[in-house]
Amino acid sequence: MDILAAQKFAHSLVSEKPVLSALLLALGTLSLARLVFQTLSVLCQTFILPGANLSKFGARKGAWAVVTGASDGIGKEFSFQLAKAGFNVLLVARNKALLDSTAFEIQNMYSGTSTRVHTIDFSNHDEDAYNGFKAAVEGLDIGVLVNNVGKSHTMPTYFADTPEDEINDIATINVHATLRVTRAVLPGMVQRKRGLILNIGSFSGAVPSPMLATYSGTKAFLSTFSSALGEELGQHNIVVEHLNTYFVVSKMSKIRRASVMVPTPGVYVRSVLSKIGLGCGASYSGRPNTSTPYWTHAMLDYGMTVIGMPSVFIRYTHELHRSIRKRALAKAAREEKGK
């Protein structure tokens, strides 16, 4: 009966209001065509099209790459792969021994590559330390900046229960350090009319994440900052890319085993450097200067955008973090009992 009623309504609409029915048909057709076009665009960018050649940013031409948080994980992998691509590398973090070890490995692996290390604790608002960093990059032909240093919560925790020092560290490292490092490197890029800035983001910046509220907020900042900065710097031939990242094997994620959804740092960084300038999974969502290059992350990003309903994903994330916190507390209790 409902089907018959719908058919009668459609017939009467066409016969009595042909202009309105034609308009609705045109809008439906355009919406479908847009979905098909954008879906094909996401698939082509993720699986077929190559990104910009790194020589555009000075690879094999004596240029430097600056990588923060370079002593481990994704930052360390960016250092190696950018050295392989033909950049000299300035490694930046707070642990000098680890930086020296990484620099030594790079020089042994890629002869002719120059490396430098610079130690700084990004959790401090230390003006002298930032002046020291500014002096370290002054005069270098910097083609690439990777803002990788970051901090998350020890475990999922409600904001009201989060220690104040943890809140301060996360905001200082994820926001203040990114601003200060970028500001120190940027004038040289503008002068040379060349540069690539990669800001390592997180899905938690796109999906507000209960029990990681401070971290989630800082990553949302990074997305907005990248879009604004990218528009400013396009006139100077500088590419700004916010990398919307799902889980990667790392100390921060506390995931030790790779899977289809969780790549190793090496696999993830290769996907990033092979897709520079392409939005991939983020190209459907209309977020300027954002890219989701790793293929399963790209498909997840695309699917979430098509589905919409952000409140559903927020509630799912809340339940997930409740479960993670419960397991983390149980593990801590077992370890305490075993002492």
Side-chain angles (χ1 to χ4, degrees), residues 102-124:
T102 301
F104 182 75
E105 288 182 62
I106 289 173
Q107 288 179 325
N108 279 348
M109 191 173 294
Y110 305 111
S111 59
T113 298
S114 296
T115 61
R116 295 184 186 179
V117 303
H118 184 81
T119 56
I120 182 172
D121 185 350
F122 287 116
S123 66
N124 295 324

Side-chain angles (χ1 to χ4, degrees), residues 243-261:
L243 300 172
N244 189 38
T245 309
Y246 195 57
F247 291 120
V248 175
V249 174
S250 68
K251 288 182 179 179
M252 181 180 290
S253 70
K254 298 180 176 64
I255 299 176
R256 298 179 180 179
R257 293 184 180 181
S259 65
V260 173
M261 288 299 300

Side-chain angles (χ1 to χ4, degrees), residues 56-57 189-190 192-196 232-239:
K56 176 182 178 181
F57 309 107
M189 288 184 169
V190 171
R192 289 184 293 273
K193 301 293 181 183
R194 173 198 8 100
L196 170 64
E232 290 182 16
L233 297 179
Q235 61 185 318
H236 300 295
N237 200 33
I238 297 170
V239 175

